[in-house]
Amino acid sequence: MIDIAVLASGTGTNLAALLARPEVRDRIRLVLSDRPGAGALDLARGAGVDAKVIRFSDHPDRSSFSIALADAIEEAGAKGVVLAGFMRILSPAFVARFPGRILNIHPSLLPAFPGARAVESALEAGVAVTGVTVHFVDEEVDHGPIVVQEEVPVLSGDDPSTLHARIKEVEHRVYPEIVSAFVSGRLRLEGERVIWG
Ligand code: GAR
């Protein structure tokens, strides 16, 4: 069993989907956010999970911000990190503290449309299909060994909000399955290889 910290900057609908799975909820030691107003914080506290804010602006640079996050995660006793809409870039030193034990979910079919505007960028590019990627995190942004991808069609008349809502429906189904496998040890990374079972 792997205890985890969940990092979330936003409304926290993915966190809510994780909390709804008892075997995942029971492994969440801490929810961390860089934003004091993040809905994820209230969701965590409502579920009886410790929640903490670490502001980027309280630190001189990304490196010391990332160290503060990593220290809080280790102090909470978590060995794995699950990014659920965390919109800050983590330092290579952070990634090295949790080797092969950081998962991310991203609202596109990576390597297409990395970054904070994945849904808008897919619409601007005029693609017919976008989707969801769950991957292990390496030193690059929205990059690392892919665990699963699922397509989501772009419909005529979609705007960022309608498309993102359909993408999130997929995220909320897929991420709890993947994180459940990760915390139970049924999913792991060996070097660059994703291992199931
Ligand atoms: C999700 O769509 C997630 O894939 C995305 O942020 C959203 C968070 O929503 N993450 C990224 O864009 C990471 N680059 P939520 O706060 O409702 O879970």
Side-chain angles (χ1 to χ4, degrees):
M1 288 293 183
I2 298 175
D3 286 340
I4 56 173
V6 180
L7 274 54
S9 302
T11 53
T13 63
N14 277 285
L15 173 65
L18 296 175
L19 288 168
R21 287 286 286 259
E23 79 278 17
V24 173
R25 198 219 85 98
D26 290 350
R27 300 264 73 83
I28 303 177
R29 290 281 151 270
L30 179 66
V31 169
L32 274 177
S33 183
D34 57 316
R35 292 195 188 145
L41 295 163
D42 287 338
L43 281 171
R45 291 176 184 133
V49 173
D50 274 353
K52 191 172 172 181
V53 177
I54 296 182
R55 288 183 186 80
F56 185 79
S57 57
D58 286 344
H59 298 84
D61 52 32
R62 178 157 65 225
S63 169
S64 64
F65 169 71
S66 298
I67 288 169
L69 291 171
D71 287 348
I73 292 165
E74 281 181 356
E75 276 162 28
K79 300 271 185 264
V81 180
V82 171
L83 306 180
F86 191 67
M87 303 311 269
R88 294 278 178 188
I89 296 170
L90 297 161
S91 72
F94 179 97
V95 176
R97 291 263 293 264
F98 307 97
R101 285 183 272 115
I102 310 173
L103 281 170
N104 184 39
I105 190 159
H106 185 77
S108 75
L109 298 174
L110 291 172
F113 313 123
R117 296 184 70 258
V119 178
E120 291 84 350
S121 299
L123 280 171
E124 284 159 17
V127 294
V129 175
T130 182
V132 172
T133 302
V134 177
H135 65 99
F136 283 101
V137 170
D138 66 14
E139 289 77 11
E140 292 175 51
V141 176
D142 293 324
H143 189 269
I146 288 173
V147 179
V148 73
Q149 292 189 302
E150 190 166 316
E151 293 184 352
V152 175
V154 179
L155 304 182
S156 65
D158 259 342
D159 61 26
S161 134
T162 58
L163 179 55
H164 204 169
R166 276 205 323 288
I167 287 172
K168 283 194 183 188
E169 279 177 29
V170 174
E171 292 187 335
H172 300 162
R173 171 167 47 76
V174 166
Y175 213 22
E177 288 295 331
I178 300 296
V179 176
S180 174
F182 176 64
V183 297
S184 74
R186 286 179 288 117
L187 166 67
R188 64 187 195 284
L189 194 65
E190 278 182 13
E192 294 284 295
R193 284 177 58 219
V194 174
I195 309 285
W196 286 93

